[in-house]
Amino acid sequence: MWDFIAERHRQILYDGFQHVYLVVLAVVAATFIAILIAMLVTKVPRLGGVTNMLSAIGLTIPGFALVGLLMPATGIGSTTAFICVCFYAVLPILRNAVVGLQGVEPVLLESARGMGMGEAAVIARVRLPLAWPVILAGIRVSLQMSMGIAAIAAYVLGPGLGSYIFTGLAQIGGKNALNYALVGTLGVVLLALILDLLLVLVGRVTIPKGIRV
Amino acid sequence: MTTLDPTVATPEKSVRRSRLRPAGGESAAMLMVLPIMVAILFIGYVIWRQTADLDSIEESTLAWGAIWEQLRDHIAITLVASAIVVVIAVPLGILLTRGRARAIAPAVVAFANAGQAAPAIGLIVLLAIWLGFGFWTGVLGLVIYGLLPVLRNTITGLQGVDPTLVEAGRGIGMSAPQVLLRVELPLALPVIMAGIRTALVLVVGTAALVTFIGAGGLGGALTSGINLFRFPVMVSAALLIALLALLIEWVGRVLETVLRPKGI
């Protein structure tokens, strides 16, 4: 195992980086998409039920099936992987963003307006900061999920550590099969834990002082 | 500052609640919409399949006999794995909320949470290297994957039972097992069922991957579609897998509604 890693450490590091890069990019994009949709829902509360239902349906569709559905449109490679990861990444964030933004007390919004804040300022300085801890919790769930989905997307030649798992599968019986599968699986777990820790730190820094628990 | 604190507490609490038991309105709508949606899409697929112009490879991969067999295997492995999950996770969850075991419950849940970060496909491949290909290896992988939501919700559900009710049960002369069976479990059931539904959805989705280790299922048609680069096969198989997952989710919701004790 150590020889295996030592021999290939550059390649493994590179693929691990690619994995993280794909997931982080997708989750960041997903965060923007989710917050935008959630703001729309806050404006038009009737959309709330529909959004919840669509995200429940979306989460039910297996990742591998979505890969199959996307392939004809987006082909083999990282585009498919990115869209697939991004699709799932939006859902948990969206759910929490809707709850978070709607959960801001009307009294606070009222007083913000009373202080003379415009609509944009109310969103940027009151709504978003107050909803942020809940949104961040959604981002953490989303990130964990995305790491696994990115591994599946490797079947259609998406970038990252998933390819090690599939190489291990293809070489079963060979001497390196276990090494490949272990590096792929444990690599993803390790990176997921590191990213989660980083998000906790992000929370420390970005959650406004007044509402820290 | 004091005025801000409760504001944050409210959304956090409602997040937890909405994840454990979805709002009544949404659940009712899903109960109606899901079967209709699945039925329409399936009928659409059947019509397309009967009229489409397919080449011989596509024709044989999508032959009804082959599809039925994979569908049957897929459902079988999903149900077997889910049943085992329930049989293991619910008693384990009960055990972890009794007596001294209570102290290690958070550690167990944290460990299971971290384990959830392992990609399903990696877990399945590792198990296959260890135990060989086949149905039961697939079942084991799915069971490991489905355990966490049921375990977590069983613990949360039981911990959420109002202690005064347990006290009242003891007060009217019930023994500890009686309180568990007649007070705690019925009250925790909605939360436990929500966990079981989550596990069902996870398992039916992950079951699309067990074809890689020779345990059958609709993933077979999907991988042939991708490997042969035949769009009709790919999309058909993916659609059927998605429909099955939606149907299973619906069954979970029906069970949840039917089993919910009256008065809660």
Side-chain angles (χ1 to χ4, degrees):
Chain A
M1 174 91 186
W2 294 121
D3 292 345
F4 178 86
I5 293 176
E7 256 170 54
R8 296 172 178 73
H9 71 277
R10 302 198 86 151
Q11 187 61 35
I12 294 173
L13 280 178
Y14 175 76
D15 285 321
F17 172 75
Q18 290 273 305
H19 202 103
V20 169
Y21 186 62
L22 169 73
V23 167
V24 169
L25 214 61
V27 171
V28 168
T31 307
F32 280 108
I33 297 172
I35 291 180
L36 279 180
I37 300 177
M39 284 190 180
L40 197 72
V41 173
T42 335
K43 280 257 166 270
V44 195
R46 259 182 307 163
L47 289 177
V50 181
T51 321
N52 269 344
M53 211 163 75
L54 286 182
S55 72
I57 291 175
L59 279 175
T60 306
I61 295 171
F64 196 38
L66 188 66
V67 169
L69 287 174
L70 282 175
M71 277 276 285
T74 54
I76 277 185
S78 34
T79 319
T80 307
F82 178 78
I83 295 177
C84 193
V85 174
C86 198
F87 173 83
Y88 289 102
V90 167
L91 305 175
I93 306 177
L94 178 60
R95 220 157 228 256
N96 278 27
V98 169
V99 174
L101 288 175
Q102 283 180 346
V104 176
E105 262 188 44
V107 183
L108 294 173
L109 301 176
E110 200 63 34
S111 42
R113 285 192 201 105
M115 284 170 63
M117 287 190 191
E119 200 54 36
V122 170
I123 287 176
R125 297 182 48 195
V126 181
R127 263 192 199 275
L128 275 182
L130 283 177
W132 182 239
V134 186
I135 298 177
L136 200 65
I139 298 179
R140 282 178 67 183
V141 175
S142 166
L143 199 85
Q144 297 292 310
M145 217 172 64
S146 302
M147 291 299 281
I149 289 168
I152 293 173
Y155 190 69
V156 291
L157 302 184
L161 289 171
S163 56
Y164 286 73
I165 299 171
F166 285 107
T167 310
L169 176 72
Q171 298 189 355
I172 276 187
K175 74 178 168 76
N176 271 333
L178 182 62
N179 285 332
Y180 270 113
L182 269 181
V183 166
T185 311
L186 294 182
V188 171
V189 176
L190 193 70
L191 291 175
L193 291 179
I194 292 174
L195 284 179
D196 194 49
L197 218 66
L198 284 178
L199 268 186
V200 174
L201 287 180
V202 168
R204 281 276 157 95
V205 177
T206 55
I207 292 176
K209 258 193 214 130
I211 59 170
R212 261 180 227 159
V213 201
Chain B
M1 253 219 278
T2 36
T3 50
L4 284 179
D5 279 341
T7 337
V8 188
T10 333
E12 297 245 43
K13 230 181 272 162
S14 52
V15 167
R16 202 176 309 141
R17 202 182 321 127
S18 72
R19 200 171 52 206
L20 294 179
R21 30 183 134 169
E26 182 204 331
S27 196
M30 288 287 276
L31 277 178
M32 298 273 291
V33 171
L34 272 180
I36 298 173
M37 201 177 91
V38 171
I40 291 174
L41 284 170
F42 185 69
I43 292 170
Y45 169 75
V46 172
I47 293 171
W48 171 83
R49 173 69 186 81
Q50 298 308 95
T51 52
D53 196 14
L54 300 173
D55 67 24
S56 63
I57 296 172
E58 292 159 359
E59 191 74 48
S60 68
T61 333
L62 289 178
W64 282 111
I67 291 292
W68 282 131
E69 192 184 327
Q70 292 186 353
L71 183 66
R72 206 192 51 216
D73 290 351
H74 202 120
I75 295 175
I77 201 165
T78 302
L79 293 185
V80 170
S82 305
I84 297 177
V85 163
V86 173
V87 169
I88 296 176
V90 174
L92 191 61
I94 294 174
L95 226 66
L96 284 171
T97 53
R98 303 297 104 179
R100 244 178 274 158
R102 224 174 288 221
I104 58 166
V108 173
V109 172
F111 175 75
N113 260 329
Q116 200 75 356
I121 178 68
L123 183 71
I124 289 172
V125 169
L126 284 174
L127 284 173
I129 293 175
W130 181 35
L131 299 168
F133 280 35
F135 181 80
W136 290 106
T137 310
V139 169
L140 182 62
L142 298 182
V143 167
I144 295 175
Y145 220 60
L147 271 180
L148 172 71
V150 183
L151 182 66
R152 190 178 45 200
N153 277 28
T154 305
I155 294 175
T156 334
L158 287 173
Q159 282 173 345
V161 173
D162 190 343
T164 52
L165 294 174
V166 177
E167 202 63 26
R170 299 306 295 268
I172 62 171
M174 288 187 182
S175 64
Q178 273 178 325
V179 173
L180 175 67
L181 280 179
R182 297 180 46 191
V183 180
E184 292 181 75
L185 278 181
L187 285 173
L189 198 63
V191 183
I192 300 178
M193 284 308 298
I196 293 178
R197 178 164 58 83
T198 311
L200 270 172
V201 171
L202 270 180
V203 167
V204 74
T206 314
L209 302 174
V210 296
T211 175
F212 289 121
I213 59 163
L218 284 167
L222 182 50
T223 42
S224 349
I226 293 175
N227 294 340
L228 303 167
F229 214 68
R230 306 275 165 163
F231 289 153
V233 180
M234 251 182 251
V235 175
S236 304
L239 179 76
L240 290 173
I241 294 173
L243 288 183
L244 179 60
L246 288 171
L247 199 65
I248 296 272
E249 138 102 0
W250 179 73
V251 170
R253 277 178 195 273
V254 170
L255 281 178
E256 227 178 309
T257 318
V258 172
L259 291 179
R260 184 176 289 247
K262 285 200 192 93
I264 299 188

